[in-house]
Amino acid sequence: MNKDAELAIRIPDSEKPRVVIIGGGFAGINLAKTIGKKHIQVVMVDRNNYHTFQPLLYQVATAGLEPDSIAGPLRKILESDNEFYFRMAQVNGIDPDNHLVKTSVADLHYDYLVIASGSRTNYFGQKQIEKLAFPLKQIPHALDLRSHILQNFEKAVMTSHEE
């Protein structure tokens, strides 16, 4: 049997209305904290099980901080609410007619849906810049940039051309 076929969202049924929040960034977390403990069930879905403090990504990219210094587990941030559930999954679509969020794990029913999935880097149609630039929105982006910078420093140390 395919191991993935055994996966399920596994959220308890409840008489309370279910609010599904897509995204564990600043907006999603603040909303979950604000509406938590208000006689509703809150389910957060994100592709990562951690929140990234994006304002300090440049510190990770320049080796000033390690990634774990700017990332914290979403479950721990919101653990005080016993009607909060986090599920790590990729959202593949939304069926508004049937109140379903389609995820990489299973479909998830909602009464209310909030999309707080963040943003993407905008290159304003500049394909050459998009091809060569390093986006800086996620920890893997910062680590890629850090690696690139450090590799270039290593090359610079060994070059015979001073300029």
Side-chain angles (χ1 to χ4, degrees):
M1 179 181 229
N2 182 351
K3 204 172 196 182
D4 289 340
E6 297 175 18
L7 296 177
I9 292 288
R10 296 190 56 228
I11 303 293
D13 289 331
S14 175
E15 297 287 321
K16 299 175 183 178
R18 178 180 290 166
V19 176
V20 172
I21 302 171
I22 299 173
F26 289 118
I29 288 172
N30 284 330
L31 177 63
K33 285 180 176 180
T34 301
I35 65 175
K37 300 180 181 165
K38 295 218 190 299
H39 200 67
I40 57 174
Q41 184 184 65
V42 178
V43 180
M44 180 179 286
V45 179
D46 195 285
R47 66 178 171 222
N48 299 308
N49 61 0
Y50 57 88
H51 168 72
T52 302
F53 189 74
Q54 286 185 331
L56 292 179
L57 277 170
Y58 79 96
Q59 292 264 359
V60 173
T62 57
L65 289 174
E66 291 304 314
D68 61 345
S69 298
I70 67 163
L74 286 165
R75 285 181 181 92
K76 185 163 179 78
I77 294 169
L78 296 157
E79 71 186 348
S80 64
D81 184 355
N82 62 0
E83 281 296 324
F84 172 79
Y85 301 91
F86 172 79
R87 296 299 180 259
M88 188 172 85
Q90 179 75 36
V91 173
N92 297 326
I94 298 169
D95 179 353
D97 295 331
N98 294 308
H99 288 240
L100 290 174
V101 175
K102 298 179 175 292
T103 76
S104 55
V105 177
D107 291 351
L108 176 61
H109 180 268
Y110 64 85
D111 294 300
Y112 301 96
L113 176 64
V114 177
I115 301 172
S117 55
S119 64
R120 293 179 185 229
T121 302
N122 187 346
Y123 297 99
F124 300 99
Q126 302 295 314
K127 295 294 181 194
Q128 189 64 8
I129 292 173
E130 184 175 354
K131 187 173 137 186
L132 298 173
F134 286 88
L136 195 56
K137 295 267 188 196
Q138 303 168 7
I139 288 176
H141 295 157
L143 293 173
D144 288 346
L145 181 54
R146 176 193 289 193
S147 177
H148 182 77
I149 291 168
L150 295 176
Q151 287 175 28
N152 280 317
F153 280 152
E154 291 299 330
K155 286 179 189 175
V157 168
M158 294 188 284
T159 187
S160 58
H161 302 294
E162 196 156 314
E163 62 277 347

